[in-house]
């Protein structure tokens, strides 16, 4: 039997007996409704739910209490599938017309019941991988720190380093602020603490196959003229590929030669190796290649700091030091470096070196001082260029090997910048430190800890879910590859069978977004809880059972879309009852079939609410939905319906007021169309 | 259509569209393409009859045309085709004593000669053939064939 647990939420959800009877009548006698109060903090309501085989919790937003409710059930060993109907943020907080409100509540609950009747959702535990080894690509500060953190939990790491030297850029820096120790010492200290980790230098990853928990990695190692091929099995891969200093040959007038015109890190290397420089005149130029549309439009973020370090060191060695700058970006406490540099008498000139000549073996530079609007010339011994920090070329190859996206500068893309900054589109593949953008030492260490924690979580606990992962019915699959091409997480592979090519899901990598389900032409790809059958049933029921004059089928993704809708509720903004909510994991789950089904069931309008462009929590789902919306609008128009009946709104939760306004606008549009 | 193919979701979609339609256009020009929405265009002059599309189409939407259209030779831009093929065509044109027209029968089991025929009616625009075609003879266009819906 299906149980419906309605929470009064301290009087917010104030359905009276009459209304509850009415709801029950419309659903049927085979369900039981229990009304309780404050189910989030009380225990009693949860104690006698064992008798149901499916449960509907009609209460507040799952964003608020899904975890609470799940734990309440699991603590009591009640492993039944359940669904949360949000009566608070999506109904009682936002609607004023009692009669219509009850109609909406009825429709929302009834749709949930009808879906639950046919659902194949069930409690599942995916056991954690047996192999816990981790592969780290890059032996800079970030990579080493990840290994150090993981070792504490007994995890064996392999670090693959492409050069012959361990330690990356940090090792080259003579002094790391604010620790005031040489980078080399920082690196060596970590190395001393590593026991089990195996570091493979002069090596590259050349092939990766498999899935989370079971990646198969081929490594190629060069030693003199020998090539060794190794293979490692690991559960996770960490991209700690870091940054490299750009060699500014592409700005010819700077005459970069690595001798008297050299880069800042080349100078660092000289200082680190103990080269004594004194009595010289040294000009340092910041932002070489950085913040320059022709080369790298971004700020490289950490060059100001190590430039100032070097400037101070050289000044203290008794040199005359000048720094050419566009802006000095010393954030947080590194401002002290700038203060110290000025106190020491280092001269700062705002502008960029525009020409470099050599006269009788002496360097002469000209620079336009943009504060005083004069061209100044200097005779110098060294010109030091704080050249841009860029992603290594090898990122491109790695992105192909791993099937992971990079941005236009070749840095690896984070899964979701705000909340999932160390994850990538593929489960079990993480990014740390400067692999995603230039970062300072502190930030790298912090991220390394975050990655280690994430990995430990993933490989030590089972993954629990009710909807499970996408499944493909091989007898229906025609091998058209649509799902394979669309899956944002590369969780589908095509395999050869006796009946021809078929799709197959790598369950460990599937994140249950439902994109494959929405777009499979045959119905072979299905996801329990969001299968074609369940969705169509839900859509049909919600549109049909609401006795409202206007009906708007509102597909909302469980990420930003849902959160923004919740914010409207929490801020008690009002909107018409006619918006009937159809939650989906991601807008990628909304296919043309779902949109047209809503219309054919009698919806007057269809609205899709999801994350901002580039803000999709499943990477591409909202792109797909945007494309589909534009296509479906055209079809609507051509078959004689108004294209304005369909719309997609992309929001971030903080921008809920804009969503609210757009919803009201949409409602008015639909009213206009209806009354035409 | 190939045996055993059931396009459950697509059929349901067509039913829904049918139910709400007030007009039945034959073709719709789309603002962009997205898998089932779009159509495949075949350019015979680029085709080398490797039969990759024929062998891989899940719907069996391709037929093999065991005929080689001689007039194609004149239409092909030889500078853009494969060099070996260009030489063969060049030679044929040089030694031909009459205008190149008509068809040459191609025996079975000899891929590389002939052409294919694409049946729009069966096609679900999954793009598999477009992706696999080695010569770029197939492309995907912003057009949606609605005839299959009204059928
Ligand atoms: S989209 Fe459907 S039919 Fe096509 S390959 Fe994937 S599962 Fe098979
Ligand atoms: S549900 Fe999403 S992640 Fe899983 S296989 Fe389908 S498209 Fe890929
Ligand atoms: S269309 Fe392309 S894949 Fe098909 S036979 Fe011609 S060249 Fe081969
Ligand atoms: S698009 Fe797909 S269905 Fe159409 S012809 Fe190509 S492979 Fe066949």
């Amino acid at each position: 039997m299906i149980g419906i647990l309605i929470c009064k939420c301290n009087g917010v959800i104030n359905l009276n007996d009459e209304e509850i009877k009415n709801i029950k009548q419309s659903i049927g006698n085979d369900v039981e409704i229990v009304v309780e109060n404050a189910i989030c903090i009380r225990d009693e309501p949860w104690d006698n739910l064992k008798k149901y085989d499916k449960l509907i919790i009609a209460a507040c937003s799952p964003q608020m209490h899904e975890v609470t409710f799940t734990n309440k059930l699991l603590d009591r060993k009640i492993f039944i599938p359940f669904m949360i109907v949000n009566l608070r943020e999506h109904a009682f907080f936002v609607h004023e017309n009692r009669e219509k409100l009850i109609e909406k509540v009825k429709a929302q609950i009834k749709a949930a019941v009808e879906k639950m009747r046919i659902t194949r959702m069930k409690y599942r535990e995916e056991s954690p991988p047996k192999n816990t080894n981790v592969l780290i690509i890059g032996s800079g500060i970030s990579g080493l720190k990840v290994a150090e953190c993981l070792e504490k939990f007994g995890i064996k790491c392999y670090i693959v380093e492409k050069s012959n030297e361990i330690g990356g850029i940090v090792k080259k820096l003579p002094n790391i602020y604010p620790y005031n120790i040489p980078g080399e010492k920082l690196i060596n200290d970590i190395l001393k603490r590593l026991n089990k980790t195996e570091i493979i230098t002069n090596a590259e990853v050349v092939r990766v196959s498999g899935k989370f928990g079971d990646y198969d990695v081929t490594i190629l190692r060069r030693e003199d003229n020998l090539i060794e091929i190794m293979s490692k099995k690991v559960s996770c891969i960490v991209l700690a590929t870091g940054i490299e200093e750009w060699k500014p040959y592409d700005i010819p007038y700077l005459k970069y030669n690595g001798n008297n015109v050299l880069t800042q890190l080349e100078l660092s290397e000289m200082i680190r190796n103990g080269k004594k420089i004194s009595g010289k005149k040294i000009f340092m130029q910041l932002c070489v290649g950085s913040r320059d549309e022709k080369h790298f439009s971004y700020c490289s973020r950490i060059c100001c700091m190590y430039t100032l370090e070097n400037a101070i060191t050289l000044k203290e060695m008794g040199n005359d030091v000048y720094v050419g700058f566009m802006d000095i970006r010393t954030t947080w406490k590194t401002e002290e470096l700038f203060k110290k540099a000025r106190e020491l008498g280092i001269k700062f000139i705002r502008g960029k070196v525009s020409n470099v000549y050599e006269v009788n073996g002496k360097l002469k530079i000209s620079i336009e001082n943009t504060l005083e609007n004069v061209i100044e010339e200097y005779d110098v011994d060294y010109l030091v260029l704080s050249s841009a920090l860029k992603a290594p070329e090898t990122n491109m190859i790695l992105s192909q090997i791993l099937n992971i996206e990079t941005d236009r500068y070749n840095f690896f893309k984070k899964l979701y910048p705000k909340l999932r900054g160390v994850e990538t589109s593929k489960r079990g593949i993480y990014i740390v430190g400067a692999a995603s953008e230039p970062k300072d030492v502190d930030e790298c260490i912090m991220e390394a800890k975050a990655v280690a924690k994430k990995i430990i979580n993933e490989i030590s606990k089972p993954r629990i879910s009710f909807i499970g992962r996408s499944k493909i019915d091989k007898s229906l699959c025609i091998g058209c590859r649509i799902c394979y091409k669309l899956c944002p997480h590369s969780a589908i592979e095509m395999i050869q069978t006796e009946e021809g090519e078929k799709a197959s899901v790598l369950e460990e990598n599937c994140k249950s977004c439902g994109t494959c389900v929405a777009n499979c032409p045959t119905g072979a790809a299905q996801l329990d809880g969001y299968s074609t059958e369940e969705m169509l049933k839900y859509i049909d029921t919600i549109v049909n059972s609401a006795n409202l004059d206007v009906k708007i089928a509102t597909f909302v993704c469980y990420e930003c879309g849902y959160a923004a809708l919740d914010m409207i509720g929490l801020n008690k903004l009002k909107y018409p009852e006619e918006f009937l909510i159809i939650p989906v994991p991601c807008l990628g789950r909304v296919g043309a079939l779902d949109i047209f089904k809503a219309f054919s069931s009698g919806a007057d309008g269809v609205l899709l609410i999801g994350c901002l462009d580039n803000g999709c929590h499943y990477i591409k789902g909202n792109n797909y939905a945007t494309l589909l919306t534009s296509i479906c609008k055209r079809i609507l128009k051509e078959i004689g319906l108004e294209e304005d009946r369909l719309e997609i709104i992309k929001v971030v939760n903080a921008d809920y007021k804009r969503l609210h306004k757009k919803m009201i606008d949409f409602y008015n549009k639909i009213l206009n169309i209806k009354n035409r | 259509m190939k045996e055993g193919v059931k396009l459950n979701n697509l059929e349901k979609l067509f039913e829904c569209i049918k139910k709400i339609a007030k007009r039945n256009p034959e073709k719709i020009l789309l603002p962009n393409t997205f898998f089932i929405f779009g159509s495949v265009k075949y350019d015979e002059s680029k085709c080398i009859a490797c039969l990759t599309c024929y062998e891989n189409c899940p719907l069996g939407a391709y037929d093999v045309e065991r005929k080689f259209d001689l007039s194609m030779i004149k239409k092909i831009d030889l500078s853009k085709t494969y060099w070996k093929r260009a030489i063969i065509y060049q030679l044929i044109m040089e030694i031909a004593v009459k205008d190149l027209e008509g068809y040459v029968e191609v025996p079975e089991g000899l891929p590389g000669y002939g052409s294919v025929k694409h049946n729009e009616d069966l096609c679900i625009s999954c793009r598999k053939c477009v992706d696999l075609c080695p010569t770029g003879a197939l492309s995907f266009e912003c057009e949606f064939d609605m005839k299959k819906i009204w059928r």
Side-chain angles (χ1 to χ4, degrees), chain A residues 542-597:
Chain A
I542 202 162
V543 175
N544 268 317
S545 54
N547 191 7
L548 296 164
D549 296 336
V550 177
K551 294 167 190 176
I552 299 172
T554 314
F555 293 93
V556 188
C557 84
Y558 261 131
E559 306 289 340
C560 289
Y562 205 95
L565 211 55
D566 278 0
M567 286 295 282
I568 293 181
L570 291 169
N571 285 286
K572 314 262 169 76
L573 299 181
K574 306 293 174 205
Y575 58 83
E577 295 74 9
E578 283 77 355
F579 289 91
L580 302 168
I581 310 297
I582 307 168
V584 283
C586 165
L587 283 194
R589 172 59 191 90
V590 184
L593 172 56
D594 307 290
I595 293 174
F596 283 104
K597 177 69 184 181

Side-chain angles (χ1 to χ4, degrees), chain A residues 444-458:
Chain A
C444 288
I445 291 178
M446 225 148 59
E447 272 203 2
K449 290 180 181 167
V451 167
K453 179 161 181 280
K454 187 86 207 160
I455 292 180
I456 288 159
N457 263 339
E458 285 270 56

Side-chain angles (χ1 to χ4, degrees), chain B residues 42 47-53 116 133-135 137-138:
Chain B
Y42 171 59
C47 178
I48 53 167
C50 63
L51 305 190
T52 305
C53 54
V116 294
C133 173
T135 66
L138 299 171

Side-chain angles (χ1 to χ4, degrees), chain A residues 478-480 482 485, chain B residues 35 38-40 52-54 56-62 117-120 122-132 138-140 148:
Chain A
I478 55 173
C480 70
I482 291 182
K485 283 182 248 178
Chain B
F35 294 94
S39 62
V40 171
T52 305
C53 54
Y54 167 78
N56 286 284
C57 172
L59 279 298
Y62 284 95
K117 187 172 173 306
H118 176 247
N119 301 315
E120 212 170 321
L122 290 180
C123 175
I124 57 161
S125 306
C126 65
R127 282 187 198 209
K128 190 172 182 177
C129 55
V130 181
D131 286 355
L132 294 178
L138 299 171
S139 56
F140 206 56
K148 30 187 167 217

Side-chain angles (χ1 to χ4, degrees), chain A residues 366-395:
Chain A
S366 50
I367 176 170
E368 187 191 342
N369 184 328
T370 53
L371 278 183
E372 286 162 23
N373 264 330
V374 286
I375 309 270
E376 293 174 2
E377 298 218 321
Y378 295 88
D379 291 318
V380 298
D381 297 293
Y382 290 103
L383 171 60
V384 188
L385 306 169
S386 299
S387 189
L389 297 169
K390 66 174 198 50
E393 306 288 341
T394 37
N395 280 10

Side-chain angles (χ1 to χ4, degrees), chain A residues 46-271:
Chain A
W46 302 91
D47 286 335
N48 36 30
L49 297 174
K50 269 228 164 84
K51 58 183 170 184
Y52 304 119
D53 38 46
K54 283 162 190 175
L55 182 66
I56 282 157
I57 304 170
C60 55
S61 169
Q63 299 255 346
M64 197 85 76
H65 278 314
E66 185 171 21
V67 177
T68 320
F69 297 163
T70 312
N71 289 340
K72 294 249 188 221
L73 290 169
L74 298 186
D75 287 351
R76 289 170 178 73
K77 305 230 168 332
I78 305 175
F79 299 112
I80 55 175
F82 68 93
M83 204 183 142
I84 300 174
V85 178
N86 185 351
L87 292 190
R88 199 175 71 171
E89 283 82 352
H90 293 183
F92 279 85
F93 273 168
V94 286
H95 301 320
E96 281 165 326
N97 180 324
R98 187 75 187 184
E99 216 172 295
K100 287 184 175 182
L101 165 72
I102 300 303
E103 277 306 312
K104 172 165 174 175
V105 166
K106 203 168 77 186
Q108 297 280 163
I109 296 181
K110 187 161 180 205
V113 170
E114 293 305 321
K115 171 173 157 178
M116 281 318 246
R117 282 192 212 278
I118 55 170
T119 192
R120 275 188 307 224
M121 273 197 272
K122 62 167 195 274
Y123 176 79
R124 291 166 238 245
E125 260 184 35
E126 291 166 29
S127 38
K130 290 191 194 72
N131 177 346
T132 57
N133 297 350
V134 170
L135 180 93
I136 298 165
I137 305 178
S139 73
I141 182 84
S142 310
L144 292 176
K145 197 73 196 176
V146 172
E148 188 194 343
C149 296
L150 288 176
E151 261 202 13
K152 289 190 190 134
F153 292 84
I155 293 168
K156 159 112 191 167
C157 298
Y158 301 100
I159 301 182
V160 175
E161 167 58 50
K162 71 177 174 199
S163 72
N164 56 3
E165 202 180 0
I166 297 167
I169 267 191
V170 169
K171 189 169 178 183
K172 297 197 177 123
L173 300 175
N175 190 38
I176 304 285
Y177 187 88
Y179 307 100
N180 288 329
I181 52 168
E184 190 168 2
K185 180 161 168 25
L186 200 64
I187 296 288
N188 287 341
D189 285 353
I190 301 178
L191 282 174
K192 264 184 236 145
R193 291 193 289 268
L194 294 181
N195 303 312
K196 299 210 310 192
T197 300
E198 206 176 294
I199 304 182
I200 311 163
T201 49
N202 288 320
E204 275 162 67
V205 169
V206 289
R207 209 184 82 96
V208 173
S209 64
K211 55 196 177 187
F212 167 74
D214 188 16
Y215 283 112
D216 213 332
V217 186
T218 312
I219 299 161
L220 193 140
R221 199 173 97 89
R222 292 194 179 80
E223 179 81 75
D224 301 323
N225 284 327
L226 289 176
I227 285 180
E228 186 188 350
I229 293 179
M230 296 180 246
S231 145
K232 301 272 178 243
K233 277 199 176 295
V234 295
S235 62
C236 299
I237 298 173
V238 180
L239 296 166
T241 47
I243 31 181
E244 288 173 357
E245 193 184 41
W246 182 59
K247 304 276 180 215
Y249 288 113
D250 281 356
I251 311 181
Y253 62 82
L254 288 178
K255 312 234 166 48
Y256 164 71
N257 57 19
N259 293 320
N260 57 355
V261 183
L262 68 170
T263 65
Q264 196 62 246
L265 287 181
E266 285 164 356
L267 174 68
S268 298
E269 191 89 76
M270 279 162 64
I271 297 173

Side-chain angles (χ1 to χ4, degrees), chain B residues 28-87:
Chain B
I28 294 186
L29 226 51
L30 299 173
N32 38 49
T33 66
F34 192 68
F35 294 94
I36 57 169
F37 301 106
S39 62
V40 171
K41 286 279 164 302
Y42 171 59
D43 178 353
E44 193 180 336
S45 70
K46 287 190 185 150
C47 178
I48 53 167
C50 63
L51 305 190
T52 305
C53 54
Y54 167 78
E55 280 155 12
N56 286 284
C57 172
L59 279 298
Y62 284 95
D63 287 329
V64 183
E65 293 266 42
R66 302 206 185 278
K67 277 190 296 194
F68 179 59
D69 181 359
L70 282 176
S71 66
M72 257 310 146
I73 295 182
K74 291 182 294 186
K75 290 184 208 148
I76 292 170
D77 179 356
L78 291 185
S79 64
K80 284 195 186 132
T81 189
Y82 301 94
W83 63 272
K84 221 167 154 184
R85 200 166 167 238
I87 295 173

Side-chain angles (χ1 to χ4, degrees), chain A residues 479 485 501 600 637 639, chain B residues 19 22-23 29 58 128 131:
Chain A
K485 283 182 248 178
E501 200 180 48
S600 88
K637 186 172 156 208
I639 60 174
Chain B
K19 195 173 155 200
K22 296 179 181 158
R23 275 203 299 267
L29 226 51
K128 190 172 182 177
D131 286 355

